[in-house]
Amino acid sequence: MTEYTDHHAPEGLRTRGTIVVVPGRGETRTTYGRFAGRLAADAYRVRVIDAPDLGTSGTDAALARFGAALADAVDGTAADGGVVEPVVLVGADAGAAALAALLGRDGAGRRADAVVLAGLPGATSTAVGSWDEELDVRTSCPAHRGTLSDDSRVRRGSLGEAVPDALLTAAYDADLSVPALFLVGDADRLADRDALTRTAKSQSRARLSVVRGARHDVLNDVNHRSVAAETVAFLETLRNRLVPVVSVESSTW
């Protein structure tokens, strides 16, 4: 059975959807406690699973394992309240790559209504050096740096591990069948902005949001409140045919 951590909507509120969060390289379920808590506070049921094991058995086998774990995580919500639609998958770093590659396969996205891909890594690997240097690549948020440093299960040095080329190719070439939100920090040293822009533009229903000042861990960096709000705004558009509920007619800023 897939291991996971659940975050529930406040008591008395109608749950507005089911969200499954997939961590990236070296991260744990604890890494996403703050992000999941913010979405849950907006009345979403959030389940955080373990980062996918990309292993050395090849892309097909890795995605088969990941797909089974993802299906188990979604279907498992039926045991204590049922699957509340829409079902939205959120992936970070290699978790985002695995989600994009999986959803790009025929029929693989049948249990998802939308996807959020945060910090999708580029093909060029970056040496991260010491733990402090890796933290600098990840985030400038003191609280998030503390969360990572205090978690003994976080694999230090993991950002220096290359994501398999075949997986990245499948992710960037994926024809996603569901609405997609791409999130990237404008200070993300691991991102390939040109490739990311091409991929977002190639989708029939996608938007690319660039977070000012954010580094690689865009869901947990210093602007995490704004990123969570952007995610919730995207979730709410799913109820309105992807049309923003609030639009700005004019501004004097």
Side-chain angles (χ1 to χ4, degrees):
M1 295 292 290
T2 300
E3 294 187 8
Y4 47 77
T5 301
D6 280 337
H7 300 258
H8 296 276
E11 187 175 353
L13 295 183
R14 178 177 61 87
T15 301
R16 298 180 65 78
T18 302
I19 301 170
V20 177
V21 180
V22 184
R25 284 171 290 180
E27 298 174 331
T28 71
R29 300 194 300 273
T30 301
T31 306
Y32 289 90
R34 181 174 65 181
F35 174 73
R38 289 193 181 281
L39 299 188
D42 274 295
Y44 286 90
R45 163 73 175 276
V46 186
R47 173 163 286 183
V48 185
I49 66 174
D50 289 330
D53 177 14
L54 302 178
T56 58
S57 56
T59 300
D60 290 341
L63 288 179
R65 289 194 305 269
F66 174 55
L70 200 58
D72 182 47
V74 174
D75 293 340
T77 61
D80 53 346
V83 179
V84 179
E85 296 181 341
V87 175
V88 181
L89 308 178
V90 179
D93 181 60
L99 272 182
L102 182 67
L103 294 179
R105 298 187 164 197
D106 291 341
R110 62 187 180 276
R111 292 310 309 275
D113 297 299
V115 64
V116 178
L117 304 173
L120 189 65
T124 302
S125 61
T126 300
V128 296
S130 67
W131 177 237
D132 284 340
E133 291 170 326
E134 181 174 356
L135 285 175
D136 287 340
V137 173
R138 285 185 176 277
T139 180
S140 61
C141 176
H144 184 46
R145 292 169 73 100
T147 296
L148 293 171
S149 296
D150 294 341
D151 187 350
S152 62
R153 296 183 61 211
V154 167
R155 289 191 299 106
R156 301 188 179 196
S158 57
L159 283 188
E161 301 169 359
V163 179
D165 289 339
L167 182 67
L168 286 176
T169 297
Y172 278 98
D173 291 347
D175 183 9
L176 302 175
S177 60
V178 296
L181 170 64
F182 293 82
L183 290 164
V184 63
D186 68 359
D188 185 352
R189 288 164 46 191
L190 304 185
D192 185 337
R193 286 281 296 279
D194 290 339
L196 190 57
T197 299
R198 287 194 300 270
T199 296
K201 288 183 175 179
S202 72
Q203 307 302 322
S204 60
R205 295 174 293 173
R207 79 195 216 198
L208 171 60
S209 297
V210 180
V211 183
R212 189 178 305 165
R215 302 181 188 179
H216 186 60
D217 291 0
V218 64
L219 297 179
N220 286 307
D221 206 9
V222 68
N223 293 315
H224 57 88
R225 291 177 181 83
S226 296
V227 172
E230 176 74 359
T231 303
V232 170
F234 171 70
L235 297 174
E236 292 300 310
T237 67
L238 298 176
R239 307 173 187 280
N240 197 35
R241 298 182 180 179
L242 297 183
V243 177
V245 177
V246 178
S247 61
V248 178
E249 297 295 335
S250 63
S251 174
T252 58
W253 292 8

